Amino acid sequence: MAHTVFHLRAGGVSVVIEASGTTLPVICHWGRDLGSLDESALARVAEHAHGTRVTSEPDHPLAVGVLPEPKQAWMGPPGLTGDRDGSAGFPDFDAVVTEVEQVDSATIAQRLVATATDAANRLAVRLEFELLRSGLLRVRAIVRNDGAERYRLDGLDLALPVPGRAAELLDFSGRHNGERRPQRTTITDGTHLREQRRGRPGPDAATLLVAGTDGFDFGRGEVWAVHLGWSGNQRLWAHRTNGGRTALGGGELLLPGEVELDPGEEHEMPWLCAAYGEGLDDASARIHDALRARPTHPAVGRPVTLNTWEAVYFDHTLEPLTELAALAAEVGVERFVLDDGWFLGRRHDRAGLGDWTVDPEVWPHGLAPLVDRVREHGMQFGIWFEPEMVNPDSELARAHPEWILAPQHRDAPLARQQLVLNVGHPDARAYLRDRIVELVSEHRIDYVKWDHNRDLVEPVDRVTGRAAVHRQTQAVYTLIDEIRAACPWLEIESCSAGGGRIDLGIAERTDRFWTSDSNDPLERQRIQRWTSLLMPPELLGAHVGAATAHVTGRTSSIDFRAITAMIGSFGIEWDLREATADERAALTGWISEFVRLRPLIERGRLHRLESEPAIIAQTVVSADRRHAIATIATIDSPAHLPGPALRLAGLDPAASYRVARVRPDVAADPTSTRRQPDWWSEAGVWPGAVLAEVGLPMPILRPQEAGLIELVAQ
């Protein structure tokens, strides 16, 4: 049987795919660009992927397809699993047709499609490979039931090979107010499996599963990372065989009976996204570049946002809110967001969710007086919803118990005094759509903070008795799409008890993420650093909170809080009525600097700098490398003072840069009495090669101190 080898190239990445008429496509190489290869060279790459037969393996070595099949003697996590009344449990696809499809896209460089049939089991599959211009690879499968009987689909995972030199794994865990905590381990034989059964990725989501060469870091080593672009249950895994073959894979985690295909029906899995890089920053940049190339990506100039939650909580009255709005405008806020507490019966968190009507007792004249006042100050107006949840103490829950996602004979356990609303119920989704569109249209609201505060425990459709996470996730996507179609001006922020739903599936429908409910800048330094591996800074809400953090009780300076918020979508979560005049003046100054630097922050390349654990530092560098900023923050007592010089990544070694600390004259600078390097107080010119290789002398910083540096090529 003749074999054809395809070579996809873009963004410094090569993907070599072998196809034949009898087996599903095999990825023979995914990694560094191989350059232009002739047929003979490509055949060598494919031959290498098959390996050499060893004892007790099949007589003719088989490479593992992107959709692993039992006939390939793959003993790792399976590709397609399902059955037809107990039969059709071992897929056997052949009659494979593979072709390159022409694309006319600003984001997609090349696209390969393979279709195959399984005559014995009466199934068909379509595999789609897209190499984006940034070098990000994404792959998905669509399965069709060609039989006359229903086919129950239990799982659909794809596998991407990584070379044997990959020795370590990195993924993430975390908790509410402590999202995306890295965890590393050695790759060993067997399966490293991360499953999410929360009905959302969750604060402990793997987020990215990264395999890398020994000791890989932000700027060194090779890494191969996968992410599933899906907002429901999912699984990511790494598997190494006892023969040393290694693959990364994953797919949607399907609950029993969630997907049953009637004759002729198809199921499309989410995109499995794959980023190769020479260091984590390189892989991350490919994801950022892919997002920024989308025509729907937010334009440069994300509004400075004030959210009212930590200022007023549920205490909604017009006078304090209009006072807060006036102070917000005074310091430079561009968007004012009214958080939880505006709707019927919502004086605390035990009632009201689901009753999306403005409470006449709190707002006797509706929201118009507040909206008008906010707009008079030149600010946009936003509002909070939590459409997917419902309080048992609500008119909606009492009227429509069948709309609640829970067992048929009882409620699911409460969490945060909430149950889950079954958005997959057509009438429930229509109700939510109509209420949100009506309010947004009435006031032409600019922005919705869309919250999702609890896990989907016992997610059962009360009407059908079937598990419903898959349907719920699709229905939420549909609901958002319908609202945006009706209100095309609207922007939406995705919040999920902070950063519990940050993924490339919901990113297709939203404009911003709430990174964490913790505004403690020390915690935020860590959370934002790792979350930004997936999402670029302009999509990550980063707010200046009160001096004493609501969540941790830790107190920090205005400068530390503001510098932490700079590398993100800058905002405020603070009752400015309680701020002193000096604090508001300092905040005004930092907002002014953010607005000035915003184009760089929102389109520059982010480099996370390697230093000792007590220091978190990064650069953001413009595409032409003529302009950059760097932040240095201490989150603990450094082991050494002043510590090793900080090597600044991303700069042009042939250029010279004017190096200056931003706002070095801030009032009562606590570092001014220490012996600091000259650049800390006076601007100077430095060769780019020196900054990159020798480094910038470190200032002496105590815990919870930070500096912002600007670099301009001369």
Side-chain angles (χ1 to χ4, degrees), residues 591-672:
I591 289 174
S592 177
E593 294 293 351
F594 172 76
V595 170
R596 180 178 67 84
L597 297 168
R598 186 161 51 187
L600 169 62
I601 294 166
E602 294 181 356
R603 290 299 183 270
R605 180 163 177 175
L606 183 60
H607 299 266
R608 301 154 193 86
L609 307 182
E610 297 174 24
S611 184
E612 62 173 280
I615 305 293
I616 291 182
Q618 58 203 331
T619 58
V620 181
V621 184
S622 64
D624 63 5
R625 299 197 290 179
R626 304 290 294 173
H627 190 199
I629 57 173
T631 65
I632 305 172
T634 52
I635 61 171
D636 203 344
S637 297
H640 305 94
L641 289 174
L646 189 67
R647 300 167 69 192
L648 303 185
L651 303 179
D652 181 355
S656 291
Y657 292 88
R658 181 182 184 273
V659 178
R661 185 159 66 107
V662 177
R663 293 178 58 78
D665 55 346
V666 291
D669 180 359
T671 70
S672 61

Side-chain angles (χ1 to χ4, degrees), residues 312-335:
V312 299
Y313 300 101
F314 294 109
D315 185 15
H316 281 208
T317 51
L318 182 59
E319 185 176 352
L321 283 166
T322 54
E323 183 182 357
L324 183 62
L327 291 171
E330 199 175 284
V331 299
V333 168
E334 298 161 316
R335 174 187 285 151

Side-chain angles (χ1 to χ4, degrees), residues 12-16 29-34 165 222-224 276-277 286:
V13 170
S14 280
V15 182
V16 178
H29 170 82
W30 156 47
R32 186 181 293 135
D33 188 7
L34 299 175
R165 61 184 179 274
E222 287 184 279
V223 299
W224 297 262
Y276 166 79
R286 289 197 164 92

Side-chain angles (χ1 to χ4, degrees), residues 9-88:
R9 298 175 63 200
V13 170
S14 280
V15 182
V16 178
I17 301 171
E18 181 189 27
S20 75
T22 58
T23 59
L24 293 175
V26 172
I27 294 179
C28 304
H29 170 82
W30 156 47
R32 186 181 293 135
D33 188 7
L34 299 175
S36 180
L37 300 179
D38 60 21
E39 290 186 9
S40 174
L42 287 172
R44 288 290 188 187
V45 176
E47 180 183 350
H48 175 76
H50 285 264
T52 304
R53 179 187 177 276
V54 296
T55 305
S56 297
E57 289 194 351
D59 292 343
H60 300 285
L62 296 172
V64 177
V66 70
L67 181 65
E69 296 180 88
K71 68 181 181 182
Q72 297 162 340
W74 170 251
M75 301 303 174
L80 174 65
T81 55
D83 71 278
R84 200 188 305 274
D85 291 332
S87 65

Side-chain angles (χ1 to χ4, degrees), residues 310 519-525 528 542-550 554-568 570-576 578-580 582-584 586-587 590-591 631-634 704-707:
E310 290 191 15
N519 290 302
D520 179 335
L522 189 149
E523 296 291 346
R524 273 303 192 108
Q525 283 283 344
Q528 291 170 192
H543 287 193
V544 175
T548 300
H550 162 84
R554 187 163 26 222
T555 300
S556 56
S557 71
I558 180 63
D559 298 326
F560 187 60
R561 286 177 279 149
I563 290 172
T564 299
M566 291 292 285
I567 312 301
F570 195 103
I572 299 169
E573 197 92 8
W574 181 12
D575 188 351
L576 295 178
E578 297 180 355
T580 66
D582 286 346
E583 286 176 321
R584 291 198 297 270
L587 181 59
W590 283 115
I591 289 174
T631 65
I632 305 172
T634 52
Q704 299 185 78
E705 290 182 339

